[in-house]
């Protein structure tokens, strides 16, 4: 069969999408099972698990301090454990997507030659990559967005009813219950795809994709508290730090009004002497009212990083396919 015959019939985009879904059918089934399990768990955390734990907390709080009384401790612990399981699982999703994208979405297809076969059947490399990024990205955005909404509902329902409920600024809770989850999932997908294109081998791409996704998460964590104007509260030395929320900076106020880091001391006497030099304390933090401002700015930052990773994917592919054409010519 001639090269002209191989390139004669174009492959339309719906056919490419169907081929992609068929090729990655095991991953699709695994994702569906995982999504359903997490959705069911989050609904339970907003329903029977929450109600049982809330009743147990009411029983505990109504106990006289001088007497022993029974309350359903297992319900409290069960809710706490399942909440942690669901929250950690949601935070791990971007890393799983990075591993899959590096190992299977691009790395394995390049390593096995499936990608080159597609390129010989009137599918341009750019279109091949666009389909492999766009189709999973659409599914990931919808699925993680729904899970984040369910998680936020479950968390909000626990406020005022569960004494041990996580605060909004707990980092795992923050990312599991907002649009940052979808943004980080997309960044993980792009990181894995880029690793697969660069390394063209399954296992190395899996490892590098996860590491890049971890780097994106780490940089986001560092930048997040500073992405929205913070609030600063002053207090006396004896009052301690006032204000509750996501910490940005804390320290001491000198007589001149300067803000300096808190002193280090190893004994009560040394601490008393050290703190005598200051006139007060300052606490710079993000209050609860800044939750969605931080969510949106962090999402925007993460999506910008994801866009850079996607751009890198196309640049790497163009360099590789250009080199391939030059060698054949």
């Amino acid at each position: 069969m001639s090269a002209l015959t191989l390139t004669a019939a174009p492959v339309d985009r719906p056919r490419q999408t169907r081929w992609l879904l068929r090729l990655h059918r095991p991953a699709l089934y695994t994702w569906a099972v995982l999504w359903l399990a997490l959705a069911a768990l989050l609904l339970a955390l907003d329903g029977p698990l929450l109600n049982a734990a809330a009743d147990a907390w009411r029983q505990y709080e109504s106990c006289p301090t001088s007497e022993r009384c029974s309350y359903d401790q297992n319900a409290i612990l069960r809710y706490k454990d399942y909440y942690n399981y669901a929250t950690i699982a949601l935070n791990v999703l971007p890393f799983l997507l990075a591993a899959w994208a590096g190992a299977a979405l691009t790395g394995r297809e390049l390593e096995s030659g499936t990608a080159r076969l597609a390129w010989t059947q009137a599918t341009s490399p750019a279109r091949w990559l666009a389909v492999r990024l766009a189709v999973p990205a659409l599914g990931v955005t919808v699925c993680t967005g729904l899970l984040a909404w369910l998680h936020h509902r479950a968390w909000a329902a626990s406020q005022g009813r569960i004494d041990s409920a996580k605060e909004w600024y707990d980092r795992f809770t923050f990312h599991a219950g907002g649009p940052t989850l979808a943004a980080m999932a997309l960044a993980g997908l792009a990181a894995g795809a880029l690793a697969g294109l660069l390394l063209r081998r399954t296992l190395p791409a899996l490892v590098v994709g996860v590491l890049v996704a971890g780097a994106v998460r780490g940089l986001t964590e560092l930048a997040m508290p500073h992405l929205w104007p913070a609030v600063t509260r002053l207090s006396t030395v004896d009052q301690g730090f006032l204000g509750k929320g996501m910490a940005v900076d804390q320290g001491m106020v000198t007589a001149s009004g300067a803000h300096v880091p808190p002193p280090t001391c190893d004994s009560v006497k040394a601490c008393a002497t050290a703190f005598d030099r200051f006139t007060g304390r300052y606490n710079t933090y993000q209050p609860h009212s800044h939750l969605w401002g931080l969510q949106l700015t962090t999402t925007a930052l993460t999506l910008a990083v994801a866009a850079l990773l996607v751009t890198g994917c196309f640049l790497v592919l163009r360099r590789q396919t250009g080199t391939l054409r030059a060698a054949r010519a």
Side-chain angles (χ1 to χ4, degrees), residues 18 48 58 66-67 69 83 107 128 142 152 163 187 215 246 258 293 303 326:
R18 289 194 299 270
R58 283 196 296 269
S66 59
E67 299 179 13
C69 59
Y83 178 89
W128 170 86
V142 173
H152 181 75
D163 287 7
M246 183 181 294
L303 288 177

Side-chain angles (χ1 to χ4, degrees), residues 8-321:
V11 180
D12 58 6
R13 189 166 299 174
R15 184 178 173 185
Q16 292 183 58
T17 302
R18 289 194 299 270
W19 169 249
L20 176 66
L21 295 176
R22 181 178 299 178
L23 183 64
H24 297 283
R25 190 181 302 169
L28 184 62
Y29 291 159
T30 303
W31 173 260
V33 171
L34 179 61
W35 188 89
L36 289 172
L38 284 173
L41 179 56
L42 291 170
L43 288 173
L45 287 170
D46 191 20
L49 291 175
L50 172 66
N51 294 332
D55 289 341
W57 275 111
R58 283 196 296 269
Q59 294 169 7
Y60 174 79
E61 291 170 353
S62 64
C63 291
T65 56
S66 59
E67 299 179 13
R68 294 184 60 184
C69 59
S70 62
Y71 64 96
D72 192 353
Q73 185 180 28
N74 290 333
I76 294 175
L77 296 177
R78 190 182 306 116
Y79 176 88
K80 179 180 179 181
D81 289 341
Y82 284 139
Y83 178 89
N84 289 334
Y85 296 153
T87 304
I88 292 173
L90 290 177
N91 279 266
V92 170
L93 283 181
F95 298 95
L96 294 179
L97 286 166
W100 170 75
L105 187 63
T106 55
R108 186 176 64 187
E109 291 199 39
L110 290 169
E111 185 178 22
S112 64
T114 306
R116 296 194 182 208
L117 177 62
W119 299 343
T120 62
Q121 296 179 348
T123 301
S124 68
R127 178 172 291 183
W128 170 86
L129 179 59
V131 171
R132 271 148 186 77
L133 290 177
V135 174
L138 177 61
V140 164
T141 301
V142 173
C143 292
T144 55
L146 287 172
L147 290 175
W149 176 68
L150 290 174
H151 186 280
H152 181 75
R153 274 179 52 112
W155 172 83
S158 71
Q159 300 303 295
R161 301 183 65 189
I162 306 295
D163 287 7
S164 58
K166 296 290 186 180
E167 298 289 350
W168 71 270
Y169 50 85
D170 173 76
R171 297 305 175 93
F172 287 97
T173 294
F174 181 90
H175 291 300
T180 58
L181 177 64
M184 288 190 176
L186 292 174
L189 179 69
L194 180 59
L197 290 167
L198 285 171
L199 301 175
R200 305 168 72 90
R201 294 176 59 194
T202 301
L203 291 179
L206 184 154
V207 174
V208 173
V210 172
L211 291 176
V212 174
V216 173
R217 171 68 180 253
L219 292 174
T220 302
E221 289 286 335
L222 291 175
M224 183 171 63
H226 308 282
L227 296 177
W228 196 259
V231 172
T232 299
R233 291 193 62 180
L234 301 177
S235 59
T236 64
V237 175
D238 295 335
Q239 283 180 308
F241 296 108
L242 300 181
K244 184 180 180 181
M246 183 181 294
V248 178
D249 190 24
Q250 290 181 337
M252 310 303 296
V253 181
T254 65
S256 63
H259 291 183
V260 297
T264 56
C265 49
D266 54 6
S267 67
V268 175
K269 183 178 180 180
C271 288
T273 303
F275 280 95
D276 283 343
R277 299 185 291 112
F278 302 106
T279 59
R281 302 173 186 256
Y282 74 92
N283 181 27
T284 303
Y285 66 101
Q286 300 285 0
H288 180 258
S289 59
H290 294 184
L291 167 62
W292 293 111
L294 287 169
Q295 278 281 355
L296 293 177
T297 51
T298 304
T299 299
L301 174 64
T302 309
L303 288 177
V305 175
L308 291 176
L309 292 171
V310 170
T311 302
C313 289
F314 282 97
L315 291 176
V316 169
L317 183 65
R318 187 175 67 176
R319 178 177 60 82
Q320 292 177 345
T321 55

